Amino acid sequence: MEITILGIESSCDDTSASVVRNEVLLSNVMANQDVHSKYGGVIPELASRAHQQNILPVVDMALKLAETELKDIDAIAFTRGPGLLGSLLVGTSFAKGLSIALNKPLIDVNHLQGHILSHFIKEPQKEKNHPSFPFLCLLVSGGHTQIVRVDDYLKFEIIGQTIDDAVGEAFDKCAKIMDLGYPGGPVVDKLAKEGNPKAFRFSKPRIADLNYSFSGVKTSLLYFLRDSIKEDPEFVSRNINDLCASFQHTLIEILMDKLLLAVKKTGIKEIAIAGGVSANSGLRERILSEGRSRGWNTYVPEFKFTTDNAAMIAITGYYKFKSGHTCDLDVTPVSRILDYA
Ligand code: KG4
Ligand code: ZN
């Protein structure tokens, strides 16, 4: 039986719509919001207004590119959370409106689950390996840093997570301190390529179990720069590549230390990464090289599925629909979702 899902994502500053038919991606359309860059971060009110402007053309384009009409859609999947409430409201309300107008079921999707399940998106005429269950996923985004044990498409357990900042936030704050613009992660990544990762050392946190902390390393960078600038006002511009490479290296070390511990504790050697920070070239290389030397099977997402996109919401919607999960029209968006249940 063919199942066709329309996915809608609007959790932060990207408006996206996608059509998936039986795990195969037919379209994935995205409208980014440039309006935030001059403020150095996402402004929630501007984000929700831009979503309102973008959502109709984005959905329309996703249907056209998929050569699909609304009548062929079996269900509408949308991001319920976590994210910015005003942004989530736009996607949720739009999905509800479509559901009423078309008399088609509605499926609420956890954005983080979407990031993880993006590994299962198939593309026409493309061979791709996906993780087998159980696998561990290092989920690294602007709002979250978690190690998740995945036992099935819809069975997740968070076995470790950050107690303060997310790693994407650490990248963004590092870039902000050094005046590199927003979002900082891709800029730091690019500058780090030309730098020495061992040039400077930043303190690593001591946190119990499989949990993370990233607020200390950011403060360590801040104090180090404050002291160095006193002696040389041009210190940052003179050392920008080494600073980015060393800071990025420290973040990757922190991520890997706990991932190695998670592998040791669980014995699972199927390892995936997901979320915006999984676009980082240093992290991608490190996961692949650890995998080779330790005999893991590693899964690194394609760049287009690392940052927020609706394809991951549509594929998650597909698995939920197949398992009989739909939601009622009185569903409300939630800015924080504490678990995957
Ligand atoms: O998953 P995502 O698109 O949105 C959230 O769900 O949060 O992640 C956005 C985060 C931002 O913090 C951004 O700086 C980071 O992903 N990011 C990167 C790279 N590309 C995006 N961080 C490091 N290196 C990159 N290449
Ligand atoms: Zn995300």
Side-chain angles (χ1 to χ4, degrees):
M1 189 185 110
E2 277 198 340
I3 298 174
T4 307
I5 305 288
L6 170 66
I8 295 173
E9 154 66 29
S10 73
S11 66
C12 190
D13 60 340
D14 297 306
T15 321
S16 180
S18 164
V19 178
V20 160
R21 184 167 294 143
N22 288 0
E23 296 171 304
V24 179
L25 182 68
L26 300 184
S27 66
N28 187 27
V29 177
M30 213 114 44
N32 307 110
Q33 305 181 358
D34 289 336
V35 61
H36 308 286
S37 55
K38 63 172 179 272
Y39 299 101
V42 177
I43 308 293
E45 178 58 25
L46 294 180
S48 44
R49 270 192 240 167
H51 282 306
Q52 283 176 357
Q53 285 167 353
N54 293 340
I55 197 152
L56 194 58
V58 163
V59 169
D60 191 46
M61 182 61 75
L63 290 166
K64 281 204 177 94
L65 291 178
E67 295 176 9
T68 304
E69 291 179 40
L70 282 172
K71 67 172 173 44
D72 306 322
I73 299 290
D74 292 293
I76 302 133
F78 68 98
T79 305
R80 182 175 180 215
L84 300 170
L85 206 55
S87 292
L88 292 165
L89 262 171
V90 179
T92 307
S93 312
F94 191 88
K96 282 185 188 179
L98 266 185
S99 165
I100 295 169
L102 302 170
N103 197 21
K104 309 259 179 176
L106 198 56
I107 305 166
D108 57 315
V109 171
N110 176 334
H111 178 86
L112 302 178
Q113 197 169 345
H115 272 302
I116 297 173
L117 294 182
S118 64
H119 281 282
F120 295 92
I121 299 167
K122 292 186 182 140
E123 288 182 88
Q125 276 97 46
K126 256 197 196 177
E127 278 297 311
K128 190 164 89 179
N129 282 340
H130 58 72
S132 340
F133 301 114
F135 68 92
L136 296 181
C137 186
L138 179 65
L139 175 67
V140 279
S141 74
H144 295 82
T145 303
Q146 301 179 336
I147 301 176
V148 183
R149 181 190 162 117
V150 188
D151 282 292
D152 205 344
Y153 296 110
L154 303 176
K155 193 160 178 247
F156 299 76
E157 186 193 352
I158 301 168
I159 59 172
Q161 62 186 321
T162 183
I163 58 162
D164 43 50
D165 292 353
V167 64
E169 239 176 309
F171 269 106
D172 294 338
K173 285 179 181 167
C174 152
K176 197 166 186 174
I177 294 169
M178 298 198 283
D179 222 4
L180 297 175
Y182 179 87
V187 189
V188 174
D189 186 359
K190 196 165 163 224
L191 291 166
K193 285 186 183 143
E194 309 294 322
N196 173 7
K198 304 254 168 83
F200 305 108
R201 288 176 70 89
F202 302 106
S203 59
K204 290 206 285 177
R206 288 169 196 271
I207 301 290
D209 304 322
L210 297 175
N211 292 328
Y212 288 111
S213 164
F214 290 97
S215 67
V217 64
K218 171 199 69 191
T219 313
S220 164
L221 172 74
L222 193 66
Y223 289 167
F224 173 69
L225 291 182
R226 189 193 57 188
D227 296 344
S228 306
I229 288 168
K230 269 188 205 151
E231 306 204 340
D232 171 8
E234 303 301 316
F235 182 80
V236 172
S237 56
R238 267 194 241 284
N239 296 282
I240 192 71
N241 296 96
D242 286 350
L243 283 166
C244 287
S246 301
F247 190 72
Q248 177 173 301
H249 177 72
T250 309
L251 295 182
I252 295 172
E253 285 292 304
I254 297 172
L255 288 172
M256 291 310 297
D257 284 354
K258 293 299 173 95
L259 187 61
L260 290 172
L261 192 58
V263 172
K264 201 168 155 198
K265 278 193 167 178
T266 60
I268 296 172
K269 293 188 168 188
E270 289 278 308
I271 310 294
I273 54 173
V277 181
S278 69
N280 183 266
S281 54
L283 179 62
R284 294 166 82 92
E285 274 166 30
R286 181 70 187 274
I287 286 281
L288 294 173
S289 71
E290 291 285 351
R292 278 192 297 272
S293 65
R294 293 173 188 274
W296 303 345
N297 291 324
T298 47
Y299 304 89
V300 166
E302 274 185 60
F303 281 109
K304 63 180 173 208
F305 299 133
T306 56
T307 40
D308 295 345
N309 65 84
M312 69 188 200
I313 304 304
I315 190 88
T316 308
Y318 167 77
Y319 293 121
K320 289 187 106 169
F321 188 71
K322 250 180 77 171
S323 78
H325 176 108
T326 58
C327 66
D328 292 333
L329 278 168
D330 60 2
V331 65
T332 49
V334 271
S335 57
R336 278 165 66 85
I337 294 184
L338 297 178
D339 217 334
Y340 287 85

